[in-house]
């Protein structure tokens, strides 16, 4: 495992760190979830929150059924953690302080940010372990590094370890996006994009800025290729 | 900046008292950076095109394609206007020494050093500054120019924006009355001019229920989805999208505008990217804000969706 980000300073509270074996064990569990999702035609991302060797949150992507684009696996798992604390009458803050987030793909900027300030600036999840990087959206270094950012008002930093079964995580995502895009996004080459826009010129009049109307379209380098794999990183959506 | 609620009491409901200012990318806001380049007077104007050809071969202006190779200087007393031609960047010449510069072209005067802009101008102010040093080409984005002049919106449009932001402000106040953070947001369909969702900060219910996140879920609820339980917050509401409208909708918030009283945080800004929001208008800035202050999420190249952001609304 390779460390990609360090906390700016050690937490003043007792720092706990799981052993490499523990990380590998829970990452394997997350991979099982991702595989299961793939077999069910869902986004193959597995996500676990583990507190004292217990799973307190388990998430899968729920964007399609909720029509809420923020229902990523991490967000769903964090909700479960809160429910778990409520049901077990546990203090969510002290649970979070010793909870590790395991996820097969680098969390996006949104999810990476909410790990920083999930409960409080002072008490939060100290470690995120993930498989492959996410060149499109990654918030732990790929696009932005929210994990080590000093957010003065809203959050604290946390540590990330990456690389466990990274290739496999990439392969699963590739397989999934090759099958079909779940949200009806269209993959277009620049040529096709131009033709597409020309046809829809009238719908653009009102806006001038084309983003307004083509926000739902994703453009790939080539129409025929599936998302590109690069350095253990998956390019999606 | 003053809290929006305070300012509101003063010159209330006067759309002329504020100007929405665009939040542009760092590249668009950069000061004009300059680089030293050798240039020389063209002694015989009829040789200009030959010189351009020869110099382009010998010293192509790699990475500086936005600058014109030749400029004409103004006529001065006793001297008609003349042409000057770029030779090559000073850094390309050993020891930056004029002596070791062997151009090998006939018809050039004594070389001298000029400063030219390193990057192409992206905005009119950049272009105007760059042009003071050396002529450059510029592909103007009229929308950006208007926005920078504060002329993007007509008085009628501003009045409309004023109305929407007022709704967001009253939502913020309802939240505040419940001892929640005073942030409110409104999602609007600019085509039908219809409010789609109104929300405020609901962190009493859940630590991640920021006003923007609430609004995103309310839009989903209006489309038959959604996940948040907001029944105890009556000020948070969504107006269902009709079936015919829904059929035309490519993705959740595509084409919608968001009005929010305070600049969104990183999570909320990225949630807006995921939801494919059309435009974002906000009132006050925020120290950890991600649409201008700490980050400019809406301008990140890697992301698959970008949107316009205006600040200082009301
Ligand atoms: Zn995410
Ligand atoms: Zn937020």
């Amino acid at each position: 495992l390779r460390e990609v980000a360090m906390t700016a300073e050690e937490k003043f509270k007792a720092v706990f760190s799981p052993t490499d074996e523990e990380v590998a064990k829970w990452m394997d569990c997350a991979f099982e979830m991702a595989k299961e999702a793939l077999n069910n035609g869902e986004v193959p991302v597995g996500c676990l929150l583990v507190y004292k060797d217990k799973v307190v949150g388990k998430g899968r992507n729920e964007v399609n059924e909720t029509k809420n684009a923020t229902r990523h696996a991490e967000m769903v798992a964090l909700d479960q953690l809160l429910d778990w604390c409520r049901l077990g009458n546990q203090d969510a803050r002290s649970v979070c302080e010793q909870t590790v987030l395991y996820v097969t793909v680098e969390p996006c900027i949104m999810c990476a940010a909410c790990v920083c300030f999930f409960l409080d600036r002072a008490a939060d999840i100290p470690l995120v372990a993930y498989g492959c990087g996410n060149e499109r959206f990654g918030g732990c270094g790929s696009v932005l590094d929210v994990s080590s950012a000093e957010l003065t008002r809203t959050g604290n930093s946390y540590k990330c370890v990456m690389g466990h079964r990274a290739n496999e995580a990439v392969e699963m995502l590739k397989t999934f996006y090759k099958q079909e895009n779940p949200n009806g996004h269209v993959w277009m080459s620049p040529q096709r994009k131009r033709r597409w826009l020309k046809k829809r010129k009238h719908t653009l009049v009102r806006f001038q800025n084309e983003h307004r109307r083509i926000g739902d379209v994703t453009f790939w380098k080539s129409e025929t290729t599936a998302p590109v794999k690069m350095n253990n990183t998956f390019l999606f959506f | 900046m003053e809290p929006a609620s305070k300012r509101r009491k003063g010159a209330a409901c006067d759309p002329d008292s504020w100007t929405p200012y665009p939040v542009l990318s760092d590249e668009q806001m950069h000061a004009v950076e300059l680089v030293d380049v050798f240039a020389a007077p063209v002694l015989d104007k009829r040789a200009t095109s030959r010189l351009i050809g020869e110099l382009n071969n010998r010293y192509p202006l790699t990475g500086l394609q936005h600058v014109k190779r030749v400029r004409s200087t103004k006529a001065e007393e006793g001297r008609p206007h003349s042409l000057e031609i770029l030779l090559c960047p000073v850094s390309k010449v050993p020891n930056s020494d004029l002596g070791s510069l062997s151009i090998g072209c006939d018809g050039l005067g004594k070389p001298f050093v000029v400063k030219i802009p390193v990057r192409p101008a992206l905005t009119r102010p950049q272009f105007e500054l760059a042009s003071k040093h050396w002529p450059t080409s510029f592909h103007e984005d009229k929308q950006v120019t208007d926005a920078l002049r504060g002329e993007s919106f007509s008085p009628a449009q501003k009045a409309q924006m004023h109305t929407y932001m007022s709704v967001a402000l009253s939502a913020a106040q309802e939240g505040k009355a419940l001892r929640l953070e005073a942030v409110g947001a409104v999602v609007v369909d600019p085509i039908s001019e219809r409010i789609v969702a109104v929300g405020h900060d609901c962190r009493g219910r859940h630590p991640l229920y920021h006003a923007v996140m609430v609004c995103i879920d309310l839009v989903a609820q209006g489309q038959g989805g959604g996940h948040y339980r907001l029944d105890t917050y009556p000020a948070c509401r969504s107006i269902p999208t009709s079936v015919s409208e829904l059929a035309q909708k490519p993705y959740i918030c595509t084409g919608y505008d968001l009005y929010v009283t305070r600049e969104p945080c990183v999570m909320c800004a990225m949630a807006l990217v995921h939801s494919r929001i059309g435009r974002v208008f906000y009132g006050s800035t925020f120290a950890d804000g991600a649409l201008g202050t700490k980050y400019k999420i809406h301008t990140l190249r890697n992301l698959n969706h970008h949107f316009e952001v205006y600040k200082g609304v009301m």
Side-chain angles (χ1 to χ4, degrees), chain B residues 167-288:
Chain B
V167 176
L169 274 168
S170 31
Q173 272 150 5
E174 302 225 26
K176 199 180 171 196
L178 297 168
R179 294 169 177 243
L180 298 160
E181 196 135 356
V183 183
V186 170
V187 177
V188 174
D189 179 355
I191 293 180
S192 64
E193 300 182 340
R194 198 173 61 90
I195 289 180
V196 179
V198 183
H200 58 70
D201 183 279
C202 296
R203 269 177 262 187
R205 166 58 60 83
H206 188 292
L208 300 180
Y209 286 9
H210 296 192
V212 171
M213 299 297 276
V214 167
C215 269
I216 287 173
D217 199 72
L218 286 169
V219 171
Q221 289 183 18
Q223 298 179 9
H227 173 80
Y228 296 9
R229 280 168 297 124
L230 302 165
D231 34 318
T232 46
Y233 301 114
C236 298
R237 55 201 187 270
S238 68
I239 290 84
T241 312
S242 68
V243 180
S244 60
E245 265 180 308
L246 210 53
Q248 290 173 7
K249 237 175 144 37
Y251 203 72
I252 308 159
C253 290
T254 306
Y256 285 169
D257 291 344
L258 174 84
Y259 292 79
V260 55
T261 53
R262 189 181 74 180
E263 183 182 357
C265 71
V266 184
M267 172 183 70
C268 293
M270 193 59 197
L272 291 168
V273 173
H274 287 315
S275 305
R276 313 282 203 281
I277 197 78
R279 294 181 296 185
V280 173
F281 300 88
Y282 66 81
S284 56
T285 54
F286 172 49
D288 281 348

Side-chain angles (χ1 to χ4, degrees), chain B residues 49-126:
Chain B
S49 58
R50 171 184 59 86
L51 282 168
I52 291 175
E54 285 178 15
L55 283 165
N56 277 348
N57 267 333
R58 201 182 296 248
Y59 296 111
L61 289 175
T62 321
L64 295 170
Q65 285 86 348
H66 54 280
V67 295
K68 308 252 164 85
R69 188 108 213 178
V70 178
R71 77 170 170 190
S72 75
T73 59
K74 278 194 201 109
E76 277 171 42
E77 241 176 276
R79 200 159 59 90
H81 91 107
S82 60
L83 297 178
E84 289 173 348
I85 190 162
L86 292 178
L87 305 177
C88 72
V90 169
S91 59
K92 292 260 172 72
V93 179
N95 306 323
S96 308
D97 180 18
L98 254 179
S100 59
L101 178 68
S102 60
I103 293 298
C105 298
D106 296 329
L108 289 173
K110 193 176 177 318
F112 56 94
V113 176
V114 285
K115 289 187 184 300
I116 65 162
V118 178
R119 277 186 291 263
L122 300 171
T123 62
R124 182 149 277 279
Q126 280 181 345

